[in-house]
Amino acid sequence: MAALNGSQSRYVTLVSSDGFEFVVLREATFISPAIKSMLDPKSQFAESRTGRCVFEEISGMVLEKVVEYFQYWYKNKEREDVPDMEIPVELCLEILTAADYLGIDSKASLKR
């Protein structure tokens, strides 16, 4: 999803190590400082031009949950009575590793 006419697309594509692609609202991904930096036009990263981030170290199952969290956070960022998000126990360690890699901090995400 490259930028159109010199402006950034509202959506970005996140690609897992096993080739699954997730199209996500750009603003929803900004909870991750790593992705936000990658997509910053001033960064000179290829991702900022293409709107496509490939994560060779994150599987499709885990990236799907990460994307679900991005959307969950974006939808609920202004609310105070946010219900818990369901996370499969068997993916917890991998999701924590991905969250650490992406710089997602639960305390920081509450302040945004």
Side-chain angles (χ1 to χ4, degrees):
M1 303 207 111
L4 303 172
N5 299 328
S7 65
Q8 293 181 331
S9 171
R10 289 188 60 214
Y11 297 91
V12 295
T13 303
L14 306 181
V15 184
S16 69
S17 60
D18 43 358
F20 288 95
E21 297 186 4
F22 302 90
V23 178
V24 187
L25 187 64
R26 178 181 293 267
E27 190 177 340
T29 66
F30 288 171
I31 190 172
S32 164
I35 295 176
K36 188 174 184 174
S37 293
M38 293 164 82
L39 296 174
D40 184 352
K42 299 173 190 163
S43 72
Q44 302 300 313
F45 287 119
E47 292 86 354
S48 69
R49 292 187 308 277
T50 64
R52 183 178 174 87
C53 301
V54 179
F55 298 102
E56 293 294 336
E57 47 290 304
I58 302 177
S59 72
M61 283 179 39
V62 172
L63 190 56
E64 179 178 25
K65 276 295 177 188
V66 170
V67 166
E68 186 179 318
Y69 177 72
F70 289 164
Q71 294 168 332
Y72 178 82
W73 170 82
Y74 185 76
K75 175 184 168 190
N76 294 299
K77 66 182 178 180
E78 302 297 328
R79 292 181 53 193
E80 291 187 28
D81 59 335
V82 180
D84 290 337
M85 183 178 151
E86 294 294 320
I87 297 175
V89 174
E90 62 274 9
L91 291 179
C92 284
L93 183 58
E94 290 179 80
I95 290 172
L96 281 172
T97 303
D100 182 58
Y101 176 79
L102 295 171
I104 300 170
D105 179 348
S106 64
K107 293 175 189 155
S109 67
L110 294 175
K111 297 176 187 173
R112 296 177 193 215

